[in-house]
Structure formats: structure tokens, C-alpha cells
Amino acid sequence: MATNAELFARAQQVIPGGVNSPVRSFRSVGGTPYFVDRAQGPYVWDVEGRRYIDYVQSYGPTILGHAHKAVIEAVAQAAAQGTSYGAPTEREVLLAETLCSRVPSMAWARLTSSGTEAAMSAIRLARGATGRNKVIKFAGCYHGHSDALLAAGGSGVANQGLADSAGVTPGAVADTVVVPYNQIPEVDETVAVVAVEPVAANMGVVAPEPGFLEGLREACDSAGALLLFDEVITGFRLAPGGATEWFGVEPDVWCFGKVVGGGLPIGVFGGRAEYMEHLAPLGGVYQAGTLSGNPLATAAGLATLEQLNADAYRRLTAIASRLADGMTQAAAAVGVDCVAPRVGSLLGVFFCEKAPANFCEAKAAAENGVYSRVFHRLLSDGVAFAPGPYEALFVSLAHTDEHIDTTIEAFTQALASEVDGG
């Protein structure tokens, strides 16, 4: 079997940079990516047979752990009946019903094939429903790679050492206004929508300060603009009703992805009926997708959501809390500045004195070089964090206290090496 280095060399001959998503590259940490051969529960194995306790977890979708029995059985059953029809299916209805029943005030949902599709469609919907052009977004928040939303887009862009993307014309972002996270912007009658990650998870993890989300709701109401929660990451990771339930703030439009597909490609955008009725075929806002509502993805999503009850969220939060507390205590014991901001089961890690409140502060912490050294030391001890300092850490229901304790021990050793300069 080929080694990681051999596969990476081959990949670079036929795939730009050797990866099909820049977040998988090791550009910001250095070295050669490991190529995954298989995964089970909290683990992934690379092609050389090394096993890692995995905190990437496909960047969030595998909240039950890899290859969960219920998900695999649901996908296998669906695949045996055909993989795509170009016609409606019952599971599309079931998934939309499940989402709308869980999220307060979300009346209708439209399925897509990715979070990027969901976000760009939600922005188009907001513009069509309001008749306005401007979009306000926050520096460090990522809403997919559509042109208008890539400005100051956080992790995927920032990990490559870029501010924005080449190929995005000035005209494409002319109506996009970028403001600092955790600051309430001026919203006037030209603004169609304010788009925000309710917990910023693409610049590490940056929590909303008290009053921030409430202030956005009030500002949008005053100006007649829509409020969009991008919950591609936070959706159904924080609570059964997502960030809306967690924070008690209701936007007008939502985006979901990751968890709702159970590890298969999916995106969802939804909203109040008065806005969603602008979508074709009811209204004049066009959106479509050949594989939208794919039978495999809807089967995996339904199987995943069925497992996520109140007890599951308590367990996820306890697992994340144990990891966050263990990392910060280990850092304090050896005198390394480290914070592990956590909201529910979503957590990050920064090597600095104080948890960042915005992208500028997150950037300063990410660029001090500590993360890349700790990352490689952990990897050599069989613990896989994301290969970039702007990413969240994702725990799953398959992680146990034993896995967390092993991780904390490896983290302690990595920090000891950092102090020793080894």
C-alpha cells in the first residue's frame, strides 16, 4: 500500500495542491497530510496503519462518531433503492418536517447539496424578499465560497495566508459590508440581510458576547432588514433547536449543513413563510439543484438526528467540557498561555492569555506559531486536530472519558516540549 508521502506526491500531479479542499492541506502547519484509509467511532486510520483519536470528525458532520451503525444501515438501505431520482422523495419531506419541528419559527426548509449553496441561496432570497442589495457580514465568519461572501471569510481562506480570494471581482463584493464580530453594525434601509455565525467557528471558536445577537435582531427590526443565522456548524450541535434554542434569538432565515447530512453532502436553508414563499416555484427567486434532497444524504441525516436527544446533548457537552478544562489546566501547569473557548459541545483552542472576541484577536493568536508545533506533536502521539489554527475541535458521542484523558496526556506532553524548546 502507498505511503502518505507517495499518495501526496501523486495527488499533486493531478489535483491542485494535492487536496480537494484547501482546509485539508498542511500549508499552515507544514508537513505532509495523512491520507485516511478508514474510520470508526472516534478514530481514523491512515494508509500506513497509524490510528488517531480524531477531533476533525469531517469538520463536524459525524457527531455520532465515524461509521455509526444506524447511519450506515440507513445509507445502505437507501442506496439499494437508487442513489438519485430527479424527483421528490418521502425522506425529503421527513427531513424538512424534522428540521422545522425542531427550530423555533422556521416554517419552511429547502434542501441543497452543500452549505455554500444554502448560504448563497439564502442571501439571494433575502435580497429578493426585501428588494434591497446590501449584505452585512462579519470578519472571520465563513459562509461558503460564493463570490459575494468570501470577503474576510475566516478559516478556509485565512489558513492559506489569504485575506480574500483572487478571481472575485470588485463588483461581486460591492454590496458586501464587512464589520468586526461582536460589534453591532449600523443597519439602514439599504441593507437586505445581516449574516452571522451565531457562534463564530471559522476563526477558531469565538463566542458571541452578551447582547450581541439580541442587538443584531433589534438593529434588523429597526431597519426592516433580515437576520440570517448561518448554522452550518452550530446547527444541531449546540441543542435540538440549534443556536436559536440555545441563545433564545430568532432570525428570519437559517442555513444548515454538516450534522443534518450525517456525513454525506447536504445543505439546507429555511425561514419564516413570508420570506420562503418568494422561492420558485412560488415566487420569483430562483434556486435549484440536481442532487438536492439526495436520498442517501436525507437517510443519513434522519438517522443522525434520531440519535440526538436531550441526553445526547448533555453527553456531548460533558465530553467537550472535560477536554476544554483538561487542556487549559495542562497549559497552566507548565506555564503556557492557552484558552479553550467552549459553547456547548463546540470548542476551540488558542495559545494566548485571553479568549479572542473578534477576527483580529483570533488572527494574532493563530499567527504566533504555537499551534503548528503542538499540532505535529499531538499527531505523532496519535491525536488528530485540524491542520489549521482557525478551526474548531469536534467531539462526538463516540469519544469517551478514556479518549479525552489520553488526549489531555498527549496535550500535556506537547506543551512540555514547547516549554523545553524540543
Side-chain angles (χ1 to χ4, degrees), residues 75-103:
V75 171
Q77 181 179 2
Q81 298 170 340
T83 58
S84 182
Y85 314 122
T89 68
E90 182 180 13
R91 275 190 292 267
E92 294 173 66
V93 180
L94 292 172
L95 184 56
E97 287 175 341
T98 299
L99 301 181
C100 290
S101 69
R102 285 180 175 235
V103 181

Side-chain angles (χ1 to χ4, degrees), residues 2 43 46 50 61 101 193 195 211 236 258 273 285 306-307 328 337 351 360 371:
Y43 299 114
D46 70 15
R50 282 188 290 267
S101 69
V193 61
F236 312 107
K258 299 189 185 292
V285 177
E306 286 174 2
Q307 305 291 320
T328 54
D337 291 332
F351 294 99
C360 286
Y371 184 91

Side-chain angles (χ1 to χ4, degrees), residues 217-408:
R217 178 71 276 174
E218 292 174 7
C220 288
D221 287 342
S222 296
L226 304 191
L227 179 60
L228 165 64
F229 274 8
D230 186 336
E231 291 213 58
V232 168
I233 290 179
T234 58
F236 312 107
R237 177 161 286 275
L238 297 184
T244 299
E245 177 182 339
W246 185 272
F247 293 107
V249 178
E250 295 183 0
D252 303 294
V253 187
W254 290 257
C255 295
F256 298 102
K258 299 189 185 292
V259 168
V260 298
L264 275 73
I266 201 169
V268 180
F269 67 104
R272 303 175 191 271
E274 63 192 279
Y275 305 121
M276 295 297 287
E277 66 185 8
H278 287 270
L279 273 179
L282 299 180
V285 177
Y286 190 75
Q287 178 274 332
T290 299
L291 297 179
S292 295
N294 179 270
L296 274 63
T298 52
L302 285 166
T304 297
L305 291 172
E306 286 174 2
Q307 305 291 320
L308 295 178
N309 55 26
D311 180 63
Y313 285 105
R314 283 192 292 270
R315 289 164 54 202
L316 283 164
T317 299
I319 293 165
S321 178
R322 187 183 185 95
L323 179 57
D325 292 346
M327 289 192 298
T328 54
Q329 290 167 9
V334 297
V336 173
D337 291 332
C338 176
V339 293
R342 181 183 62 82
V343 179
S345 71
L346 187 63
L347 75 152
V349 60
F350 295 98
F351 294 99
C352 57
E353 293 184 11
K354 180 183 177 183
N358 53 52
F359 183 58
C360 286
E361 294 177 6
K363 187 172 185 288
E367 292 183 349
N368 64 20
V370 178
Y371 184 91
S372 61
R373 295 190 293 272
V374 171
F375 166 83
H376 279 291
R377 289 166 185 145
L378 288 173
L379 201 64
S380 67
D381 283 338
V383 176
F385 283 11
Y390 292 100
E391 306 293 350
L393 305 180
F394 293 101
V395 300
S396 75
L397 288 170
H399 287 91
T400 66
D401 286 351
E402 182 180 356
H403 297 122
I404 300 303
D405 291 345
T406 299
T407 301
I408 293 169

